[in-house]
Amino acid sequence: MNTMIGNIMSFPVMKKIVTQTTRIVAFFNNSHYWGGQLNDKAKKQNICRKLKQNCESRFYALILHCLSVLDYRSPLSLICVRPEAQKKTNNLTPVAPDVITTILYDPLYWKRLEQIVLTVKFLVDAIGNLGSRQASFADCMLELLRCAHEMSQLAFDPNEHDLGFWLHAKLVFNRRFHGINSEIHSLALFIHPMCRELAITQVANGRSSKFMPSLSP
């Protein structure tokens, strides 16, 4: 699923959003003064998490990265509207102009950031669920089926969402789903006492009850 997230996030519009997000986090994490001011604002709003760095090799970290900036939207805005944040005052270096532009004057940035989280967070949750224990093939398929349900319910809002990314995410998921949904995984569901019916009736790749025993050695 980590690879699936990476494929979904290869969409050019969203790659730009990630670049802007990384820029915001890098600026405030690398600025002793402005980072401290931001943390103070966050604490007053009972925001406990810190801004999370991105990790290009672990795409689930990308969503934590995006979520942290969404949580900080209010304190980030309160910092950036301050006069000394926009213009050098008393030898204090202001907030970088491109960071201010993204935070205060780019409403599409925030809409696209929210769409990224809405589209991919349930995949990140699945990674977490499977990583918290020794997962079997049946566990993997159950999480995959749950994600398929979530993806099928993902509605498009023309006022908030990028249509190209919405279609891209569904296409990538469906392609990867059929690639993962193998006979071995269906057999794992079939022999699981709580999941046998799922293995027989799943719409995407249903297999008959007569066929299932033939897969067993």
Side-chain angles (χ1 to χ4, degrees):
M1 289 189 189
N2 197 37
T3 302
M4 187 186 295
I5 294 173
N7 291 338
I8 290 173
M9 291 307 303
S10 67
F11 193 71
V13 170
M14 296 313 185
K15 288 178 72 174
K16 179 182 177 183
I17 297 300
V18 172
T19 298
Q20 290 175 282
T21 302
T22 301
R23 170 65 172 144
I24 291 171
V25 172
F27 175 83
F28 283 98
N29 281 354
N30 292 332
S31 172
H32 178 74
Y33 178 78
W34 290 116
Q37 293 292 301
L38 181 64
N39 288 334
D40 289 343
K41 289 287 186 185
K43 288 177 182 178
K44 290 178 181 178
Q45 296 185 25
N46 296 317
I47 299 173
C48 298
R49 77 164 79 204
K50 300 290 186 181
L51 287 176
K52 299 290 187 181
Q53 296 279 8
N54 189 17
C55 178
E56 295 183 359
S57 63
R58 298 181 178 180
F59 289 103
Y60 64 84
L62 170 63
I63 304 307
L64 300 179
H65 183 56
C66 295
L67 275 170
S68 70
V69 173
L70 278 175
D71 284 347
Y72 270 72
R73 182 175 182 177
S74 176
L76 282 167
S77 298
L78 290 173
I79 290 294
C80 289
V81 297
R82 288 164 52 171
E84 66 271 28
Q86 300 190 25
K87 184 178 180 180
K88 188 172 183 178
T89 305
N90 296 327
N91 292 322
L92 176 65
T93 301
V95 176
D98 62 315
V99 172
I100 289 180
T101 298
T102 298
I103 293 170
L104 296 181
Y105 307 117
D106 189 354
L108 275 181
Y109 165 76
W110 295 105
K111 289 182 179 181
R112 300 298 176 258
L113 191 63
E114 289 175 352
Q115 187 181 5
I116 287 173
V117 172
L118 181 67
T119 303
V120 184
K121 186 177 183 301
F122 57 84
L123 295 172
V124 175
D125 291 340
I127 292 173
N129 292 340
L130 294 172
S132 63
R133 61 183 186 276
Q134 290 184 336
S136 66
F137 276 139
D139 293 326
C140 293
M141 278 305 299
L142 285 172
E143 286 295 334
L144 186 62
L145 290 170
R146 182 185 65 78
C147 289
H149 174 73
E150 293 281 353
M151 185 63 76
S152 71
Q153 299 298 306
L154 198 62
F156 173 70
D157 184 343
N159 296 318
E160 300 292 330
H161 298 155
D162 183 281
L163 177 60
F165 179 66
W166 183 78
L167 293 171
H168 168 76
K170 286 180 175 285
L171 178 64
V172 168
F173 182 89
N174 289 337
R175 183 170 61 245
R176 295 287 297 173
F177 179 91
H178 285 287
I180 296 172
N181 185 23
S182 67
E183 293 176 352
I184 293 175
H185 286 81
S186 292
L187 175 61
L189 284 178
F190 180 75
I191 62 179
H192 193 293
M194 296 179 61
C195 307
R196 180 171 297 187
E197 195 67 22
L198 281 173
I200 299 172
T201 62
Q202 56 176 306
V203 175
N205 201 7
R207 299 179 174 96
S208 70
S209 57
K210 292 182 179 180
F211 175 71
M212 287 300 175
S214 70
L215 297 177
S216 181

